Amino acid sequence: MTQVHILFENPDWMPPLRGALESRGLAFVEHFTEGGTLDTTEPPPEGVWINRMSPSSHTRGHQAGVVFAREYLGWLEANGRPVINGTRAFTMEVSKVQQYAALTRHGIPTPRTKAVIGGAEALKAAARDMSVPFITKHNQGGKGLGVSLFRDLDTFDRFVDDGSLEPSPDGVMLLQQYIEAPEPFITRVEIVDGRFLYAIKSNTEQGFELCPADACQIGDLACPVGDTGLFALREEITADDPLVRKLVAFCQAEGLGLAGIEFIEDRAGNRYVYDINGTSNYNSDVEGKHGFSGMGAVAELAARLLA
C-alpha cells in the first residue's frame, strides 16, 4: 500500500503531524531513527517520505541519527522515492555554513559569519577579524544552542580559555556579526510547498532558545504564548513582502518542501536571514487564534505527492 513514511528522532514533536495526517485519512508509518543499518542492495518502502530529523538531535542523544539520515535520504532518492526535505534540504538543515552560502547565492543578506574549525587559539585569532559586538553559535545548531554575545575581545578570550564555550556537535563554531534590533524580537516566516503561510515574531528577552512547538514550552520557557507572550502573529508580513517573495523562491529552488526561516531587522530597517529550520514546528496557540495549520499544509503536501 502506498503511504507516508516519517523519519524522525523526537517523539514529542510527532502528535501534531500524526493528527494532521489522520484527519486527512492518510496511512503512515513512523521510523524512529537514532542510527541503524542500511542495506543498499534492497529497495526502500514505497511511498512519500517526510524528513523530520533535527539538527538539535544531539541534545537528545541522537547525533548518530543525523549521520544515518544523511545516508538514508540519499538511498531513498537514488531509488526514486519522493522525499519532503531530502538530501539538498538536509545538507542546509545541519550546516549554517551551507545555509548562508545558498542564501547568498540567491541575493538574500545574511550576517557576516566566520566558520572556525580548531581549538581556542584558532577561535581567538578569528575573533580579531570580527567587529564587536559579535555572537558565537553552532554550525549544526538548533534551539539557539551555543549562542553567546560578546562586546569585547578580552571577555571572549576568557570565555574560550576557561572552557565555557560549548562546542558544536560537528566541530564547526561560528562567529557572527551581532545585529542590534530596535525591539527584542526576531521574525520567523513559515513556508510549505512553495507557499507562504504566515510570519510570527518571537520575543528574545529571555534568550534565543525559540522553538515554537508546544512541547518546547516547558521549564524556563513556560511563559505565555500567543499575541501577548513569547510568540505572536506578525500580521503586517504578507506574501507580497519583498523578502517573503525571495524566501519562497529560495525554498522552491533549493528543494525545501517546508521551512521556518528566521530573520532579524537592524535599527536602519535592514533585514538579515540567519537560520533555516527544515523541521519546522508550529505553535498551536498562534495557529488556533488565527486559523492556520502548518502541519495541515505539510499533510496536504504529502497527499499531493502521493497522488
Side-chain angles (χ1 to χ4, degrees):
M1 179 175 64
T2 302
Q3 55 194 342
V4 177
H5 297 268
I6 308 165
L7 202 62
F8 78 105
E9 56 77 38
N10 187 356
D12 292 338
W13 291 350
M14 290 297 292
L17 179 56
R18 286 188 195 120
L21 294 171
E22 288 169 352
S23 70
R24 287 155 180 80
L26 297 176
F28 61 93
V29 179
E30 300 176 11
H31 302 265
F32 178 76
T33 305
E34 57 178 348
T37 302
L38 169 61
D39 186 344
T40 61
T41 63
E42 294 293 325
E46 295 279 356
V48 171
W49 290 74
I50 303 175
N51 174 24
R52 296 290 294 166
M53 293 298 294
S54 169
S56 64
S57 298
H58 65 285
T59 65
R60 294 174 289 275
H62 302 151
Q63 176 64 10
V66 172
V67 179
F68 182 82
R70 183 185 65 211
E71 306 304 328
Y72 200 87
L73 294 171
W75 176 62
L76 291 172
E77 291 167 343
N79 283 273
R81 303 297 185 263
V83 182
I84 298 174
N85 283 19
T87 300
R88 193 171 179 180
F90 194 59
T91 296
M92 286 190 285
E93 176 80 352
V94 297
S95 171
K96 287 185 171 57
V97 168
Q98 298 303 318
Q99 289 181 19
Y100 300 152
L103 288 163
T104 299
R105 187 168 64 249
H106 286 265
I108 299 172
T110 64
R112 181 173 183 248
T113 305
K114 295 183 74 69
V116 184
I117 303 170
E121 296 309 312
L123 284 162
K124 289 190 289 185
R128 267 64 191 169
D129 191 38
M130 296 292 297
S131 298
V132 291
F134 63 85
I135 61 173
T136 58
K137 62 169 54 175
H138 292 170
N139 183 53
Q140 182 191 318
K143 304 188 298 184
L145 297 173
V147 176
S148 297
L149 171 64
F150 298 92
R151 296 190 180 276
D152 63 84
L153 292 173
D154 288 342
T155 302
F156 176 72
D157 290 349
R158 289 194 297 271
F159 192 79
V160 170
D161 287 337
D162 68 15
S164 298
L165 186 64
E166 176 188 12
S168 176
D170 64 355
V172 183
M173 285 300 301
L174 305 182
L175 306 181
Q176 187 171 93
Q177 170 192 6
Y178 177 62
I179 307 299
E180 194 88 47
E183 296 182 60
F185 70 85
I186 60 91
T187 301
R188 180 178 174 118
V189 174
E190 299 293 355
I191 298 168
V192 178
D193 197 15
R195 180 168 61 92
F196 168 75
L197 300 183
Y198 57 86
I200 62 172
K201 60 181 180 180
S202 304
N203 191 299
T204 59
E205 290 177 301
Q206 296 186 43
F208 290 91
E209 294 193 27
L210 296 171
C211 169
D214 295 345
C216 296
Q217 309 311 311
I218 57 175
D220 293 339
L221 292 181
C223 65
V225 295
D227 285 357
T228 59
L230 191 60
F231 305 106
L233 186 70
R234 194 168 177 193
E235 297 185 62
E236 74 275 19
I237 302 291
T238 69
D240 292 326
D241 183 284
L243 179 57
V244 169
R245 291 166 67 94
K246 283 188 175 183
L247 294 177
V248 168
F250 173 85
C251 289
Q252 292 172 325
E254 296 295 332
L256 282 157
L258 67 144
I261 304 180
E262 297 177 355
F263 70 86
I264 190 167
E265 296 165 86
D266 67 14
R267 296 184 182 278
N270 300 306
R271 295 164 161 185
Y272 299 86
V273 175
Y274 67 88
D275 195 20
I276 300 172
N277 302 278
T279 48
S280 196
N281 289 291
Y282 309 99
N283 184 264
S284 64
D285 284 7
V286 172
E287 290 203 330
K289 181 171 183 177
H290 298 281
F292 298 114
S293 177
M295 285 304 177
V298 174
E300 289 166 7
L301 170 58
R304 180 178 69 78
L305 293 175
L306 281 173

